[in-house]
Amino acid sequence: MMLILRYALATFLLLLLWWAGSAAMGPDLLPDPWATAAAFITALGDPDFIRHGVISLWRLVAGVGVAALAAFPLGLWLGHSRRADWLGAPVVFITFPLPKIVLLPVFFMLVGLGDASRLLLIGLTTGYQILVIVRDAALSLNPVYEQAYRSMGGKGWGLLRHVWRPAALPALMTSLKVAAGTAVAVLFLAESFATDSGLGWLIMDAWGMGDALRMFTGILGMSVLGLFLYGSVGVLERIFCRWQEA
């Protein structure tokens, strides 16, 4: 009950600030939350808006999914192999600060203007976040757990299955939560160029036409996608990391 109250108060505060900003700037620049919510509900009955939303959701989930599938095992490998980490860690930390969004034109040239370039950009950007967090979690694993497993006769791939992977799952979930917000931001930028689909394109198209209400409807839609992704990670965390609540 207290959790619901906290989120309700936070939502009320955000809506109040939004309304105050709308009152100060005017609806032509910043539509009020009630008008935006009404427009969003109406848009949910528009097949074209739904099409843009589904395309954006596909790009978002696929990009983050590919990142997790690649970065999680790589983070475990670097965190538990001194030889791999000896060279891998410097490569990661030298390239990590590079703003991946600047590579979008390069991806357009290499793999074309389709979804592949956008998925690659989202996957690369969020993959680095997952990789760094999972690697740090692997490095900080208490060696007592490995020793206990080996003392019971465990070895080989069983160590990965029964010790390394379960111990790193909470870090994976944390990294996915961090990546959720990043992925939405990268998605918007990726959909702003060389495409005519997705909520990012819709937002920029509305901005170009000076339609503030349609623009904020798209922004609200993209925010809902981010909230959905973040909430889905929370559900997965409850399923795969139940032992944390014990």
Side-chain angles (χ1 to χ4, degrees):
M1 185 64 183
M2 183 59 66
L3 181 64
I4 296 175
L5 178 61
R6 289 169 56 198
Y7 276 89
L9 288 175
T11 302
F12 174 77
L13 177 61
L14 292 173
L15 291 175
L16 183 63
L17 292 173
W18 184 352
W19 174 83
S22 177
M25 291 184 282
D28 292 335
L29 290 177
L30 180 60
D32 67 68
W34 327 119
T36 304
F40 178 73
I41 293 173
T42 301
L44 292 178
D46 181 3
D48 193 51
F49 182 83
I50 297 299
R51 179 179 68 86
H52 287 301
V54 170
I55 291 173
S56 290
L57 179 61
W58 146 249
R59 291 168 175 165
L60 191 65
V61 173
V64 175
V66 169
L69 289 175
F72 181 62
L74 185 56
L76 287 178
W77 184 40
L78 295 181
H80 292 292
S81 172
R82 290 187 178 182
R83 291 183 178 180
D85 198 57
W86 184 85
L87 181 60
V91 171
V92 170
F93 293 128
I94 289 173
T95 56
F96 180 74
L98 173 69
K100 313 305 181 295
I101 190 64
V102 302
L103 298 176
L104 183 59
V106 179
F107 295 155
F108 282 158
M109 290 190 296
L110 293 177
V111 297
L113 302 179
D115 279 353
S117 57
R118 293 172 176 83
L119 297 183
L120 186 57
L121 183 66
I122 295 172
L124 185 65
T125 305
T126 57
Y128 266 88
Q129 295 176 323
I130 297 170
L131 171 60
V132 170
I133 294 175
V134 170
R135 172 188 172 273
D136 286 349
L139 285 172
S140 62
L141 178 64
N142 193 328
V144 169
Y145 297 112
E146 292 186 26
Q147 295 169 4
Y149 180 76
R150 293 182 189 278
S151 69
M152 292 184 290
K155 57 182 179 180
W157 288 102
L159 186 64
L160 170 64
R161 179 183 177 184
H162 298 293
V163 180
W164 292 352
R165 187 181 63 182
L169 280 178
L172 173 64
M173 298 303 165
T174 299
S175 65
L176 287 174
K177 290 178 180 178
V178 173
T182 303
V184 174
V186 174
L187 174 68
F188 168 70
L189 291 172
E191 289 184 339
S192 299
F193 303 97
T195 185
D196 59 356
S197 62
L199 292 177
W201 173 86
L202 185 147
I203 292 169
M204 294 303 294
D205 183 64
W207 170 76
M209 298 177 64
D211 190 343
L213 185 58
R214 180 167 170 259
M215 181 178 72
F216 274 89
T217 301
I219 292 173
L220 183 57
M222 190 158 276
S223 301
V224 170
L225 292 186
L227 184 62
F228 169 78
L229 182 59
Y230 189 92
S232 298
V233 175
V235 172
L236 291 175
E237 186 175 26
R238 286 182 175 272
I239 294 174
F240 293 106
C241 302
R242 292 191 300 267
W243 46 270
Q244 285 195 116
E245 302 175 3

